Amino acid sequence: LLIITLLLYSSFTPVFFFIKGYGDSIGIRTPGLFFTVATLTMIGLRVGVGSFFDRFNKVLLMALSLAWLIVGYTALAFAFGPVSFYILAGALGLGWGVGMPVLNAMIFECSEPRFSGLNINLAQEALQTGFLLGPLVAGWIIAGSDYRTLFYMCSLFCLVALALAPLTLVGSKLK
């Protein structure tokens, strides 16, 4: 779960670090609205249906959000105008709005009580490492390639995380 957390945030942070440059490169006049749309989608989702997350299989929800993000990042590589750009902001906001809180809940739920504090702290370290590695790797990619390759990298990180998802069931309380 900690590796999945690292991969999820390593795919999330490059979007927020480099979306302005990408938006400018495809002719979006106000690329900062991407943040507004994505964040409002995440907040709306959590407020509107966040309580339902506890009623569903968290491993399945996490896997579905990762699959959704793979498609979203890949589609973002092909955004061509404001409509597709902002629709993808909402779509990615849905994926992040499901994946992030569900992953946090999974880490808490599968931890033995004596290790729950440690595991939550380790999850924070994985998140912070993602905030370092994601933009660092993304900067290297953009310096040597383009934004499309960057978003493929984000998809690849989520694909690896998705491949690891079944391992979260091994020896855990998660079902």
Side-chain angles (χ1 to χ4, degrees):
L1 288 172
L2 295 174
I3 293 169
I4 292 170
T5 300
L6 172 66
L7 291 166
L8 177 61
Y9 283 95
S10 292
S11 72
F12 167 77
T13 54
V15 174
F16 281 87
F17 273 80
F18 294 101
I19 201 68
K20 182 183 180 331
Y22 179 58
D24 289 344
S25 76
I26 62 170
I28 306 298
R29 288 188 183 165
T30 53
L33 286 178
F34 186 96
F35 305 117
T36 304
V37 172
T39 302
L40 288 175
T41 302
M42 292 167 68
I43 292 169
L45 180 70
R46 290 177 185 175
V47 169
V49 296
S51 62
F52 292 109
F53 292 165
D54 290 334
R55 297 182 187 154
F56 293 101
N57 180 313
K58 287 181 181 56
V59 176
L60 180 61
L61 282 174
M62 179 189 59
L64 289 173
S65 72
L66 289 168
W68 182 266
L69 289 169
I70 291 166
V71 172
Y73 290 133
T74 303
L76 189 57
F78 295 96
F80 54 87
V83 173
S84 63
F85 187 75
Y86 296 123
I87 286 173
L88 288 166
L92 288 168
L94 284 174
W96 296 323
V98 171
M100 292 173 182
V102 167
L103 190 54
N104 288 334
M106 289 172 66
I107 290 169
F108 182 79
E109 286 180 8
C110 78
S111 298
E112 291 182 32
R114 65 187 177 127
F115 293 121
S116 62
L118 172 65
N119 287 337
I120 294 300
N121 284 329
L122 289 173
Q124 279 299 112
E125 294 303 320
L127 176 152
Q128 291 169 348
T129 303
F131 269 77
L132 170 70
L133 291 180
L136 182 64
V137 171
W140 291 332
I141 288 172
I142 291 173
S145 188
D146 58 12
Y147 290 103
R148 184 173 283 173
T149 304
L150 166 65
F151 297 128
Y152 291 155
M153 177 208 70
C154 293
S155 293
L156 179 62
F157 283 175
C158 285
L159 183 62
V160 172
L162 181 59
L164 294 173
L167 297 176
T168 64
L169 295 171
V170 177
S172 78
K173 297 183 269 184
L174 299 172
K175 299 282 184 237

